[in-house]
Amino acid sequence: MAKRKILIVDDEPDFLEVMRTRLEANDYEVTSAANGEEALNYVKNDKPDAVLLDILMPGIDGLEVLRRIRTMDESLRVYRITAFSTDERFKVANKLGASGFIVKTDDLAKEIDNITSALDMSARFHKKDK
């Protein structure tokens, strides 16, 4: 069985590296992008199975990235990851079709568990649709 391809988009290099290492240890193929432009290029060219997308980034923010992803692929699972969110951002992301919401915490093990659980549940549900 092929590994599921995950794109992590975050402007914090340390967070990207830790997430990459931990998700690869959980048998995911992981690519990372440090900004919205890189993320959009990856989605367009490499077709990941899911995207973990930081909302607050310089340049093209996560909401705009999500908006543009939806014009390319309406069914791609995109999970918002953020340490800070407002009700307005939450509502906008939901209207744009975000698949879920993951809060950055100080407990990285719990964060990884939350992410892998969301990806596993989503993969099972997605298989039933095919």
Side-chain angles (χ1 to χ4, degrees), residues 10-52:
D10 199 296
D11 59 326
E12 296 177 37
D14 292 340
F15 178 77
L16 284 175
E17 188 55 36
V18 170
M19 292 301 293
R20 171 194 293 282
T21 301
R22 297 293 298 269
L23 288 169
E24 286 174 346
N26 281 284
D27 212 27
Y28 292 94
E29 180 182 325
V30 179
T31 301
S32 59
N35 59 59
E37 213 46 62
E38 286 179 26
L40 292 168
N41 286 332
Y42 183 81
V43 168
K44 181 180 178 182
N45 297 317
D46 295 316
K47 311 287 188 228
D49 295 306
V51 178
L52 305 177

Side-chain angles (χ1 to χ4, degrees), residues 19 22 77-78 86 103 106:
M19 292 301 293
R22 297 293 298 269
R77 291 165 302 215
V78 180
T86 64
V103 178
D106 292 333

Side-chain angles (χ1 to χ4, degrees), residues 59-118:
I60 302 173
D61 73 3
L63 291 176
E64 181 59 26
V65 172
L66 177 56
R67 192 174 281 115
R68 292 184 191 183
I69 286 173
R70 286 294 169 243
T71 66
M72 291 186 271
D73 185 340
E74 291 182 1
S75 65
L76 178 61
R77 291 165 302 215
V78 180
Y79 297 88
R80 297 160 295 149
I81 298 180
T82 189
F84 308 100
S85 187
T86 64
D87 285 344
E88 184 60 29
R89 283 191 193 108
F90 185 81
K91 288 176 186 175
V92 170
N94 283 340
K95 285 180 183 177
L96 291 170
S99 302
F101 184 76
I102 299 166
V103 178
K104 288 182 184 178
T105 68
D106 292 333
D107 185 351
L108 186 58
K110 182 177 180 182
E111 207 171 307
I112 297 294
D113 288 345
N114 289 341
I115 290 167
T116 56
S117 292

